[in-house]
Amino acid sequence: MFQERLSGVAMQVAVELFGIPRARAGVAQTSAAGSNLGDVLADLAQKFPPLAETCIDGRSLRAGFVVNLSADRFVTSPETPLAEGDTVLLLSLDAGG
Amino acid sequence: MTPALPHAGLIEASYRKKFVTHSVPGYHGCYLRVDLSTGSSARIALDESRLRRVLGGSGLGVDILLNEGAAEADPLSENAALAFVFSPLVGSPLTTSAKFAVVSKSPLTQRINDSLASSGFAIAGKKTGHDAIVLVGKAPRPSVLVIDDENVSLEPADELWGLANRAAQDRLRERLGADYQVATIGPAGERLVRFATISHDGRHAGRGGSGAVLGAKNIKAIAVRGSRRTEWAHPQELVALAKRLSEKSFGPATAKYRELGTATNLLAFNRLNVLPTRNFQQGSFAGAEAISPEQLSVARERTRSSCAACTIGCEHLYGLKNGDGSVRLEYENLFALGPMCGISDPETVLAACKLCDELGLDTISAGGTIAFAMECAERGYIDAPWLRFGDGTALIRALESIVSGDELGRLLAEGSRSMALEVGHNSIAFAPQVKGLEIPGYDPRGLQTMALGFAVGTRGADHNRSGAYEVDFSEAVDRRNVNTEAVPLAIETEDKAALMDSLILCKFLRGVFSDFFAEAAEMLRLVTGWDVTAAELRATAARIVTTKKQFNIRAGWTPAEDTLPERILHEALPEDARAQLSPTRLATLIEAYNRARGWTPAGYVMEDIRSL
Ligand code: SF4
């Protein structure tokens, strides 16, 4: 946040998309601006409007989708802070098959 | 029609006249018991209180089997019983309800086995006027069991014996008529491969070897046709609810299944390092992208299909480039015949899936056992230098050898646990199985709630009886350092699965429910008229899980079986040092699970299940 204010440019995080999010966005990887999860999701929704229809509702995920940070922990709260170097993985929730 | 065998059994006319069912709506109130040794059949009444306690599908199946003494019998012997079980929802307008359970003791695990399959066989089977069809004994020669309403006969199957599933089903429908629904075993079931499937219309009652149980009874196929419908207690409300459910099934919760199918898990699991690779030696696979459905659909034809009475349609079929038609691709097939064996050639993986379909092999057990054999060959424990990870020709050759019965095939046909015990060298430490059932495509080290689900599962390592991976894919737990707080969450997924498998509804519908137990209670009320509540169904689900455990105890279960392979408990994933599960942590989770279930800390069920 401090760095963001200093530079006036929002932090960019890497985003990887899987399953339906990838199909909707039409890309496997991208980047988005924000220092917390909600900001990043909102930025993604703006960049890829089909994502907003299925996967993202404002600054939150729609039911059936989850975010994992850097192949480590799953998070849902829009207020989850993101750090430099984090990768946001956007996934469909259900497994099975 | 081919003449019936001399011993063919027809229900006695007097009995037929006398038998009038006055059952609760949704049920016929009886099951058909066919003794294949004597060619006789009988209808056995199912009273309402019994049905309400165990519902149908898996629940009713295990209850019937316990009464048949199946837990104590050798599953490949004449004494063994095998049940095709329908449910109160089959034939209703509720989406995804056209399913049946095949329940028996597993020849692979020697424990309870309930496999589910879908489509027209469920609807036609229930329309014969029975809530289940139970087979005991052994036909004197290869036979087809034909059930046409109350008429039951055995017909010769000599010209079908040896045929692959699709050919056998086509031939039988030509013989009997297109209005019969047919379930068959492939050559694997005939040869008593312990992970042989029962196939219907391209779908399989896949896990645990029910195809071998049928093969041991000399039954190549069952053909069913019927005209008896059950009533619904509140038909108008049921139709309205079914319409709402169908509408919800078109929403985002099922988009993944409709648009991409389950195979799309592959890349996500790979990224999370939980994609079992080269017999669980790694959790990610360098060749994953090449065999992912995202890549497969770029270069080849893809079509979509669905089971009868389903509005989701999760089945995605991929064309083979050699012009040999197409094949259904699921995540489990893809993982087991791809990364698990180190195969990154898409054509080989699809051809292997197709071969398993036709031979009637469970893909998870086939892939798991072959991957295990590949590691044994690599270590020099077996004399098969050609059997190498990543070699597609070797994979196809190994699959063929399972049914050809050559020396290696004879070992493979027993599954990885038995093979390890025969191979020696403590290879059981890396045999990828729990209770003899090969582990599906979720590495338990990185998904430790699922690890618990696998370890305690009554049919062995199984992703359909415990959905505990859902807990790991949430922020409720640290998936690589799970503690006992995960236990009730794991139990909740197991209970939900038990209820879905007994009602029966497809698990791919689960995302559309906001309160599954309450919504399931409403469905059951509208079908049966029972004043059933969510609380009652929670108790029913727990009872069904306990009944399966009771079956296993009678079959010889001991607490030592509730564990994971040594490799999983002693080696961290090479890609992720945090993905490590110690034996002590697993033991703590298991004890907490047993206590939460109301069993002894070791996992015994002390009370009589009938009084639960
Ligand atoms: S969602 Fe798939 S498996 Fe389930 S009933 Fe529909 S087509 Fe069959």
Side-chain angles (χ1 to χ4, degrees), chain B residues 62-396:
Chain B
V62 67
D63 186 76
I64 291 174
L65 255 70
L66 271 170
N67 281 305
E68 287 283 347
E72 292 85 0
D74 173 351
L76 299 182
S77 72
E78 202 167 333
N79 297 336
L82 176 137
F84 290 80
V85 194
F86 313 112
S87 81
L89 305 193
V90 171
S92 79
L94 293 162
T95 186
T96 80
S97 62
K99 290 192 177 278
F100 60 101
V102 182
V103 187
S104 72
K105 185 173 176 180
S106 162
L108 186 63
T109 67
Q110 302 297 325
R111 301 290 174 258
I112 187 69
N113 186 43
D114 52 333
S115 324
L116 279 86
S118 310
S119 222
F121 187 91
I123 297 170
K126 185 172 173 183
K127 279 169 76 177
T128 64
H130 309 100
D131 296 315
I133 297 165
V134 179
L135 311 185
V136 296
K138 178 181 181 180
R141 56 192 280 201
S143 303
V144 177
L145 176 64
V146 181
I147 304 170
D148 181 10
D149 277 334
E150 73 272 31
N151 298 310
V152 184
S153 61
L154 280 172
E155 298 188 4
D158 302 80
E159 100 276 8
L160 301 175
W161 207 252
L163 288 184
N165 277 312
R166 189 178 38 177
Q169 288 168 23
D170 290 349
R171 188 82 65 86
L172 201 50
R173 275 203 215 94
E174 268 170 35
R175 193 213 279 188
L176 295 172
D179 50 348
Y180 274 93
Q181 296 288 334
V182 174
T184 55
I185 56 168
E190 296 169 14
R191 289 184 173 272
L192 311 186
V193 173
R194 287 178 190 267
F195 44 91
T197 67
I198 295 175
S199 167
H200 164 59
D201 219 5
R203 301 165 185 95
H204 296 261
R207 305 229 66 196
S210 52
V213 180
L214 206 51
K217 295 190 172 304
N218 259 339
I219 296 296
K220 174 70 180 178
I222 300 183
V224 288
R225 182 174 73 169
S227 59
R228 295 167 186 240
R229 292 180 184 278
T230 52
E231 296 175 339
W232 315 123
H234 303 285
Q236 283 175 343
E237 282 177 73
L238 180 65
V239 168
L241 186 146
K243 202 168 157 220
R244 290 196 300 278
L245 193 62
S246 295
E247 279 161 11
K248 281 205 270 180
S249 78
F250 295 128
T254 55
K256 171 180 156 179
Y257 301 118
R258 281 196 312 274
E259 295 181 33
L260 302 167
T262 56
T264 191
N265 289 338
L266 190 85
L267 292 180
F269 283 27
N270 193 46
R271 184 66 175 86
L272 296 171
N273 300 315
V274 293
L275 174 65
T277 299
R278 296 175 194 263
N279 194 30
F280 287 87
Q281 294 182 86
Q282 297 157 251
S284 64
F285 183 50
E289 194 76 42
I291 56 168
S292 68
E294 288 83 351
Q295 276 301 314
L296 289 176
S297 45
V298 170
R300 66 187 70 231
E301 194 185 328
R302 184 172 63 142
T303 51
R304 215 177 118 213
S305 179
S306 74
C307 306
C310 172
T311 49
I312 299 173
C314 73
E315 299 176 342
H316 295 259
L317 289 84
Y318 291 83
L320 282 123
K321 286 195 170 156
N322 62 11
D324 192 18
S326 60
V327 63
R328 281 181 178 78
L329 193 65
E330 304 282 349
Y331 168 67
E332 295 299 340
N333 306 4
L334 184 59
F335 123 80
L337 300 167
M340 187 69 172
C341 295
I343 307 290
S344 57
D345 172 43
E347 201 62 21
T348 301
V349 175
L350 293 175
C353 290
K354 181 130 185 146
L355 193 55
C356 287
D357 271 356
E358 289 301 309
L359 296 175
L361 291 170
D362 171 32
T363 50
I364 301 174
S365 283
T369 305
I370 291 171
F372 168 73
M374 285 171 164
E375 188 169 346
C376 287
E378 215 169 50
R379 290 169 179 244
Y381 296 169
I382 59 171
D383 182 21
W386 53 272
L387 191 59
R388 288 283 178 246
F389 284 113
D391 185 333
T393 309
L395 172 66
I396 300 292

Side-chain angles (χ1 to χ4, degrees), chain B residues 424-497:
Chain B
H425 300 281
N426 195 34
S427 57
I428 192 72
F430 58 88
Q433 53 77 38
V434 174
K435 297 185 180 76
L437 192 71
E438 282 66 29
I439 303 174
Y442 303 76
D443 196 302
R445 288 165 288 193
L447 301 168
Q448 296 183 358
T449 318
M450 189 74 246
L452 170 65
F454 284 158
V456 297
T458 47
R459 80 167 183 174
D462 190 89
H463 64 295
N464 279 319
R465 301 294 166 268
S466 169
Y469 53 79
E470 288 176 0
V471 181
D472 291 313
F473 292 149
S474 75
E475 52 191 348
V477 299
D478 174 353
R479 66 187 172 90
R480 293 170 300 181
N481 187 24
V482 161
N483 60 36
T484 52
E485 283 173 19
V487 169
L489 304 173
I491 287 177
E492 172 91 0
T493 73
E494 198 176 34
D495 285 351
K496 263 189 199 167

